Structure formats: C-alpha cells, structure tokens
C-alpha cells in the first residue's frame, strides 16, 4: 500500500489543489484543523460514550478504552440512541464550518462553498472487524452533484492499530462501479479490487483526508482496544445541485428542531437556508438494486446481507420491505468475529 501523497505544502495554492484532486481523486492535508479544536470535540463525544457504557469506567476518559459489553454498530438501536446525543452537540456541527476547512474548499473550488448539513459521526468499536467499512463511493448515498467532496476527520491520532481510511487513487474517473451488499457502513461493497491503487497513512489529530464523491474508499480495521472516532462532512459549490437527503440530519430519527432544541443562539442553525439552493431528486435505483440483492443473499443464508437489511429496517419508508428485512435478519447469524 502506498502512503498518501501529502499536499500540505500546496495548501494555499487553489489551482494545484484542484489539479491534484482531478488527477488522484483525493488530497491529504496535515493539521488542516487545529488539534485543540478537534480534541475539545472528542472529549465532549467521549463523555457521552462513557455515559452509554461504551468506555471502560476505570480508565481515563481520554484513553477511550472500549467496554466491549457496550459494543454496537450503526444503525443498531443502541448505537443510534447514543449517536443522537452526540449529534446534538453544537461543536459536532461547528467543526465542519471551521475557517480552515471552508478556506481550503473555497480555494480548491474557486467559489462559495456549501457544507452539507448531513454531517456524519462514526464510532468504530474494536473487535468488530467484519463491520469495517467496505469499499464504496459516496456518490450513491449522497448524490446531488458528482463534484461533492468528503472531508474525513479523525478525532484522535490514528496509529495503524486504530485503523482509519484508505482511498483508491485515481478511481474517481470510471463512473459508478459494480457493487453488492456488504457488512459495514453503507451496506454495499465495490466488486473491483482496484489492486495497486490503495493509499493510506497513519493520521495525526488535525489531519484531514479529502476525496471526490466517485473515489472508492474503505475502512482499515480497528485492531486496538480503543474506540475509533471520526467525522465526515461533505462540501460542494453553492451553485451545484444537492439532494434533499443531504439537508436532513444523518441520524434521521430526529428533526433539526430536536437537534437544535438546547443550542444557544447561533447562525449555524439552518445556515443553508440563506442560499437559494438547487435541489436534485434522489435516484433510488442504486439502493433498490442493493436491497433486492440483499434479500436474495439473505434467503441463501449469506450474512453479508446483514448491514443492508439493518438499514432497510431503520430507514425504508415501505412497511412491507421493513418487515421482510426484519424477518430475514432474525434468522441470519452474525459473522463469528463480529
Ligand atoms: O469512517 C469510516 O469507516 C467510513 C467513512 C466513509 O466511508 C466516508 O467518510 O465516506
């Protein structure tokens, strides 16, 4: 595996950032965010994780030593309940608007930038390697403009045992790849192994990995004894279209009114309403295909369908489809190392 190309030295050069993004489909910037800003948010999130029983009570909070009795994965109800409390933190959202991030995207895109309200937080328990994020393209879940970019922000240093994220350099030039249901975030995996293209480096707190919505990327397993926490936020030109779902909270179980209920007065609330955004309807065909494949695989006893079925149960508007997913989940066993 090759190390990330480090673009920290061209951070102020918008044309060079755009050129490298066009060529490689990703940019890796050391200390794009001040570590103190990231650490402050991490400790707030960890306090919620401790209250949920995700962290060993006797160990220092900052060490984030996992309590495996609390182990869960998105979108299981136990995970979503705690995630909801994290999602209500104002700093969870404010970090996406940090001037260093906005300035970076303005230079690269050459115009005003829209941070997508649907920011995502992830907690990866150790010893759930089967649920490591499979290779995928963010275009399928997010859609809107293909020229949408993800900023992946680890909340701590990530030495290799904590895992992290890998990107397939140059993979953004070939449209949407063939996929099938897979365990882990998103519930689908790209079939092409993309051998020889994978890039990864250990992260330091404050480092940010940015990639195009068509760039294939995947998780690296957390083999440590600690929780791995990260955020991923999306950015695009204000003038480009966005899908309705990108304007909704990621946890979906609540509305913005609920998330904002205890916030002080801040212009971060509903910040996107100041623009006259172009809305582009979501194309459900990718998820319809994924879901049908998951039903077929589950009927054969294939446990790789589990994450897709869990997503149907939580998110699908069709009660018959939700019921079918529940029935299939009830008879599928989790993979042994999960
Ligand atoms: O953090 C992860 O494991 C997955 C993140 C991801 O896939 C993303 O940011 O699009």
């Amino acid at each position: 595996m090759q190390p990330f190309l480090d673009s920290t030295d061209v951070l102020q050069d918008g044309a060079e950032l755009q050129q490298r993004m066009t060529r490689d489909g990703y940019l890796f910037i050391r200390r794009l965010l001040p570590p103190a800003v990231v650490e402050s948010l991490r400790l707030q999130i960890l306090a919620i994780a401790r209250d949920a029983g995700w962290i060993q009570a006797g160990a220092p909070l900052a060490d984030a030593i996992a309590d495996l009795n609390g182990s869960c994965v998105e979108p299981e109800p136990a995970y979503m309940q705690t995630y909801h409390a994290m999602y209500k933190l104002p700093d969870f959202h404010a970090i996406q608007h940090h001037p260093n991030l906005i300035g970076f995207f303005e230079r690269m895109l050459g115009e005003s930038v829209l941070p997508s309200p649907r920011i995502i937080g992830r907690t990866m328990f150790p010893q759930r390697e089967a649920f490591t994020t499979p290779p995928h393209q963010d275009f399928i879940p997010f859609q809107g403009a293909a020229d949408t970019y993800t900023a992946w922000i680890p909340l701590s240093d990530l030495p290799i045992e904590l895992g992290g994220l890998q990107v397939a350099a140059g993979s953004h030039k070939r449209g949407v790849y063939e996929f099938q249901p897979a365990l882990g975030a998103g519930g689908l995996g790209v079939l092409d192994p993309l051998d020889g293209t994978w890039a990864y480096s250990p992260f330091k707190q404050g480092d940010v990995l940015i990639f195009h919505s068509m760039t294939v990327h995947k998780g690296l397993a957390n083999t440590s004894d600690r929780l791995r926490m990260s955020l991923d936020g999306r950015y695009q030109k204000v003038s480009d279209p966005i899908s309705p779902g990108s304007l909704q909270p990621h946890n979906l179980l609540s509305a913005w009114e609920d998330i904002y209920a205890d916030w002080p007065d801040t212009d971060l609330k509903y910040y996107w309403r100041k623009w006259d955004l172009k809305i582009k309807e979501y194309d459900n065909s990718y998820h319809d295909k994924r879901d049908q494949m998951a039903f077929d695989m589950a009927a054969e006893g294939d446990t790789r369908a589990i994450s897709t079925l869990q997503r149907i149960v939580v998110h699908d508007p069709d009660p018959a489809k939700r019921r079918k997913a529940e029935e299939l989940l009830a008879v599928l066993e989790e993979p042994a190392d999960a």
Side-chain angles (χ1 to χ4, degrees):
M1 202 159 33
Q2 52 189 302
F4 293 136
L5 173 67
D6 184 341
S7 290
T8 315
D9 58 339
V10 298
L11 181 56
Q12 301 306 326
D13 183 346
E16 182 63 21
L17 292 174
Q18 182 56 254
Q19 202 179 329
R20 290 186 186 194
M21 180 60 85
T22 303
R23 183 188 66 202
D24 301 333
Y26 82 92
L27 290 162
F28 180 61
I29 312 284
R30 294 269 182 212
R31 280 203 179 221
L32 181 54
L33 284 167
V37 169
V38 181
E39 181 66 3
S40 160
L41 174 60
R42 186 177 83 96
L43 294 175
Q44 293 175 60
I45 291 178
L46 282 176
I48 294 170
R50 180 185 52 202
D51 292 347
W54 289 9
I55 288 178
Q56 285 193 11
L61 183 67
D63 290 355
I65 308 290
D67 183 343
L68 296 182
N69 295 316
S71 183
C72 50
V73 297
E74 190 216 328
E76 293 169 2
Y79 182 97
M80 296 312 281
Q81 195 185 342
T82 301
Y83 182 43
H84 178 60
M86 295 170 177
Y87 215 84
K88 290 178 100 166
L89 292 170
D91 282 350
F92 189 107
H93 300 265
I95 198 167
Q96 197 186 1
H97 299 259
H98 192 282
N100 293 9
L101 280 164
I102 299 295
F104 164 86
F105 281 106
E106 281 178 351
R107 283 192 298 283
M108 185 177 86
L109 297 176
E111 66 166 85
S112 298
V113 162
L114 167 67
S116 159
R118 187 192 185 81
I119 187 166
I120 300 180
R122 307 196 193 254
T123 301
M124 300 293 178
F125 275 82
Q127 298 185 29
R128 301 300 297 263
E129 292 187 23
F131 285 87
T132 302
T133 303
H136 67 279
Q137 298 168 293
D138 281 356
F139 180 71
I140 292 183
F142 284 91
Q143 301 188 22
D147 288 336
T148 296
Y149 301 86
T150 298
W152 193 80
I153 306 166
L155 295 185
S156 67
D157 287 358
L158 296 183
I160 191 155
E161 66 272 16
L162 265 160
L165 210 68
Q166 312 165 60
V167 291
S171 59
H172 59 304
K173 296 175 183 162
R174 289 167 40 198
V176 174
Y177 288 71
E178 286 297 313
F179 60 81
Q180 71 173 26
L183 292 179
L188 61 81
V190 161
L191 294 174
D192 187 333
L194 291 161
D195 288 335
T197 68
W198 291 100
Y200 158 83
S201 297
F203 290 74
K204 288 290 196 187
Q205 195 175 46
D207 296 350
V208 181
L209 177 68
I210 301 106
F211 50 90
H212 188 267
S213 83
M214 289 291 181
T215 305
V216 181
H217 55 287
K218 64 179 176 183
L220 189 67
N222 178 5
T223 60
S224 73
D225 59 355
R226 289 176 281 155
L227 298 179
R228 180 176 86 231
M229 292 175 152
S230 60
L231 294 181
D232 39 275
R234 281 149 194 90
Y235 298 81
Q236 61 175 92
K237 291 180 180 172
V238 170
S239 60
D240 273 346
I242 186 162
S243 71
S246 295
L247 301 176
Q248 297 301 322
H250 176 238
N251 61 3
L252 280 182
L253 302 178
S254 57
W256 289 115
E257 294 69 48
D258 182 21
I259 289 158
Y260 293 155
D262 302 325
W263 282 29
D265 247 355
T266 157
D267 53 11
L268 281 183
K269 289 185 190 171
Y270 304 108
Y271 65 89
W272 61 96
R273 292 185 180 168
K274 64 176 176 274
W275 292 296
D276 185 17
L277 299 175
K278 277 186 222 140
I279 306 296
K280 184 171 174 188
E281 275 317 308
Y282 193 80
D283 172 2
N284 284 312
S285 63
Y286 300 109
H287 279 161
D288 288 348
K289 180 176 162 198
R290 176 197 69 177
D291 296 352
Q292 187 53 52
M293 288 168 93
F295 284 146
D296 295 345
M297 285 164 69
E300 299 289 321
D302 190 333
T303 54
R304 289 174 300 173
I306 286 177
S307 291
T308 303
L309 297 177
Q310 288 176 329
R311 278 163 176 74
I312 295 170
V313 170
V314 175
H315 298 304
D316 205 282
D318 177 355
K321 208 169 151 186
R322 290 202 302 270
R323 206 164 38 246
K324 184 170 175 185
E326 267 168 12
E327 285 165 10
L328 286 163
L329 269 177
V331 293
L332 279 181
E333 282 181 26
E334 280 205 10
D337 88 312

